Amino acid sequence: MSRTVAELRPANEALDDAEELRRRLNTEGYLFFRRLQDPGKLLALRRDITGVLMQGGWLQPGTDPMEGIARPGAQCTEGDLEYTEVYHQVYRLESFHRSGHWPEVISLIAKLAGEPVLPHPQKIARLWFPKYTEHTTPTHQDFVHGQGSYDTYTCWAPVGDCPLELGGLAVLAGSHRLRAIRDHHFSLGAGGLAVDESRLEGQWLSTNYEIGDSLIFNSLMVHQALPNLSEDRLRISLDNRYQHAGLPIAEHMLQPHLQGLHPLSWEEVYAGWQSDELKYYWKQHDLQILPRLLTWAEQGFAQALELAGGGDTRALHHLRRLVKRDPHSEQAQRAQTVLAAHA
Ligand SMILES: O=C(O)CCC(=O)C(=O)O
Ligand SMILES: [Fe+2]
């Protein structure tokens, strides 16, 4: 498989042609648009998010928060309590949730999925530290995380310019053609699950993203993030999900992101909001809600135990993190047994 990254092909000229958009999504597996979203609105959101990050101690004091210059030593990622403590402050921002409902994205998804479009209640932001590359989002399909319907669309967009070195998203060309969920195994990166890369074929596609650029694909497309190799910049991005409101949705997508790692209720999220309009907006639909399948998460955990037993440092790190997060959970007890053998 080629390790080089080729350019995503923009679909801007087809924006008003729903049939052509669907044809491209079918043949290429993704749609990429330059400036689909308004840079002015994204910059305002970036101001809100980076303000929270400065307060949370993630940014270098004395610098302009908009620059996103990370404070050395503040590195953390999904799975760490230090991460959720600050992330959940971002999660309380009304502007962050509103950005998942911007009409430019909804009207595009409507052309692909039909109306009414349901933006998933679980909005997601990624706040990725520089030179912390072991934790980069590994190669995966979103279905193992989001579940529900295959025809769930992810819209990935950086909140600020995102040149290659900042580690934007890359998709594997043609990987959507196999309409199947691939085997996933333990990984230290975000989501904790990775597809075996040696079995993949095809060209990775990414770009030097500019603010407003957006990448859309369905939940079987294989993708990963590129490592953030920048000297000192955080990568800030959104990956929100959308579907037709008549298709099934998994129950956990109705909950705040990462609330399983660190409790956070919608009431806490809504506490400082100015408007009621988006509070519990999904309840206006008669949704078909599916239970969450734990198959993949459990497989990943079993592999982490096994690898850690053999001394694998990534798996050991994963188990230590899990114990630190919630020492009394059943998984933590099992992890402790393996860790004790390695002490
Ligand atoms: O931004 C990332 O690192 C991961 C995003 C992702 O996997 C997604 O948008 O589905
Ligand atoms: Fe993903």
Side-chain angles (χ1 to χ4, degrees), residues 126 128 137 140 142 154 156 169 223 225 235 237 239 241:
R126 312 281 178 178
W128 263 212
T137 307
H140 68 280
D142 280 349
T154 294
W156 187 93
L169 213 69
H223 61 284
R235 185 252 287 177
S237 54
D239 50 276
R241 286 157 180 73

Side-chain angles (χ1 to χ4, degrees), residues 25-26 141 149-153 174-182 218-221:
L25 191 64
N26 271 332
Q141 292 168 303
S149 163
Y150 287 167
D151 294 313
T152 300
Y153 299 93
S175 60
H176 65 297
R177 291 197 195 109
L178 182 67
R179 292 267 305 171
I181 306 163
R182 302 175 193 242
N218 80 11
S219 67
L220 292 176
M221 189 70 176

Side-chain angles (χ1 to χ4, degrees), residues 89-102:
Q89 295 306 322
V90 171
Y91 218 82
R92 291 164 195 258
L93 292 170
E94 185 172 2
S95 54
F96 163 60
H97 289 266
R98 190 157 290 279
S99 72
H101 296 253
W102 285 341

